[in-house]
Amino acid sequence: MYKLIAIDIDDTLINDDKEVTPATQQALEQAVAKGVVVTLATGRAYASAQAIARQTGLNVPIITYQGALVKNLMDEKVLYERYVPMEAARKLFEYCIERNLHLQTYIDDKLYAREENQKLIDYTNLNRTKYYVEPDFAKLVAQPTPKMLIIDEPDYLDQIAPELRELLGDGVHITKSKPNFLEIMHKEGTKGHALRFLAAHFGCDLSETIAIGDSWNDHEMLEAAGLGVAMGNAIPALKEIADYVTLSNNEDGVKHVIDKFVLNAKN
């Protein structure tokens, strides 16, 4: 019997129209009614994830910033928080300045960039997020942040990722949530760490958890869960490590998982 389900948002829970379909919504409600804890696990900021969680009627802690922040929906109490190490944040900032790379940071759940450009506008349109421009970015880098993000061409990000791992050291976790988003968190800011934390928080064994995702930033969570599920539209590398591959995000893949493994499972 599965007791906890962690679901990625983009290209997993929501379809390409950025909506949770009524059928998937109903499956979530049925799982909750059966006593299962349903939570979200996303790279998004808390404010952005919170809006979707509220829409879907969830009232539990949610995993945000790739796992760097776990926070209650009802009273907004922080349960788990990991910041990018200060020295790594400073080095990353200098690296991006030298190469004129677009870098974003999040402070108190607000998104900041050094300048307004098309990358920032496209990103915030995608996540429906408000943004703030701060030309004196160095003063922001000196403040605690759960996540920093570089936006660029996928091949170029693949090229610089190993350089950044060497430069920033093993205190950080670097992953991609989308081909053109390179995200930098604390080494314990992964969806896998956050899932382990929540399982303990709710007193359930990891074998009683399901994790559903589509991108490489979901792999730690899929590997940690009792049942790791890749969406039909997931990247091939994630499908390879998944225990099960469901339908795509446009075919109610999340509903399919809940129906098969929770609602119709033989207890």
Side-chain angles (χ1 to χ4, degrees):
M1 167 78 182
Y2 292 107
K3 297 179 179 174
L4 171 65
I5 309 173
I7 310 167
D8 172 53
I9 295 179
D10 295 286
D11 300 316
T12 298
L13 179 66
I14 59 176
N15 61 18
D16 290 353
D17 295 327
K18 310 291 180 206
E19 290 169 346
V20 178
T21 69
T24 292
Q25 174 64 36
Q26 185 183 18
L28 297 175
E29 289 169 5
Q30 288 172 325
V32 170
K34 202 172 175 181
V36 177
V37 175
V38 177
T39 188
L40 304 180
T42 178
R44 288 184 184 222
Y46 175 78
S48 172
Q50 176 194 39
I52 289 174
R54 290 243 160 96
Q55 234 172 293
T56 49
L58 303 180
N59 64 352
V60 296
I62 57 172
I63 298 167
T64 62
Y65 294 111
Q66 303 299 7
L69 178 70
V70 178
K71 194 169 170 179
N72 278 344
L73 271 175
M74 300 310 273
D75 59 7
E76 301 204 351
K77 181 183 171 190
V78 173
L79 302 181
Y80 180 94
E81 191 165 31
R82 297 289 183 274
Y83 292 124
V84 177
M86 284 290 179
E87 183 62 10
R90 188 184 58 76
K91 285 180 178 173
L92 178 64
F93 169 62
E94 288 168 1
Y95 180 95
C96 291
I97 289 282
E98 281 168 20
R99 288 159 183 77
N100 197 27
L101 291 172
H102 175 79
L103 179 68
Q104 301 176 177
T105 189
Y106 295 80
I107 294 159
D108 295 332
D109 221 35
K110 292 188 176 75
L111 165 61
Y112 291 92
R114 198 158 43 104
E115 60 179 17
E116 186 178 65
N117 57 27
Q118 200 56 46
K119 287 172 179 164
L120 179 65
I121 291 164
D122 291 347
Y123 177 87
T124 51
N125 284 343
L126 184 71
N127 286 347
R128 296 175 185 166
T129 312
K130 195 174 171 187
Y131 62 85
Y132 301 84
V133 173
E134 176 50 78
D136 185 8
F137 208 67
K139 75 176 185 188
L140 294 182
V141 174
Q143 295 182 52
T145 177
K147 180 174 92 166
M148 299 174 88
L149 176 91
I150 301 172
I151 301 178
D152 216 296
E153 291 304 313
D155 292 349
Y156 183 64
L157 294 180
D158 289 341
Q159 190 186 317
I160 66 170
E163 283 178 34
L164 286 173
R165 284 192 179 93
E166 195 167 322
L167 174 72
L168 305 180
D170 58 10
V172 301
H173 169 60
I174 300 176
T175 193
K176 272 183 153 187
S177 57
K178 292 275 171 286
N180 53 330
F181 298 162
L182 192 69
E183 313 206 353
I184 297 94
M185 284 72 53
H186 184 280
K187 68 177 177 184
E188 292 174 4
T190 77
K191 294 185 184 185
H193 280 91
L195 180 67
R196 286 187 187 92
F197 171 83
L198 270 188
H201 178 77
F202 286 110
C204 66
D205 194 82
L206 277 169
S207 64
E208 299 169 316
T209 65
I210 300 175
I212 314 173
D214 71 291
S215 293
W216 190 242
N217 66 317
D218 297 311
H219 84 91
E220 291 94 350
M221 171 170 87
L222 265 65
E223 287 164 347
L227 181 70
V229 179
M231 299 298 288
N233 53 291
I235 61 166
L238 197 71
K239 288 181 178 176
E240 279 170 29
I241 64 151
D243 301 309
Y244 183 77
V245 178
T246 184
L247 302 172
S248 79
N249 66 316
N250 290 320
E251 301 168 304
D252 288 317
V254 168
K255 170 185 160 48
H256 176 75
V257 174
I258 292 172
D259 286 349
K260 183 177 174 70
F261 295 102
V262 176
L263 302 178
N264 300 323
K266 307 282 181 283
N267 293 335

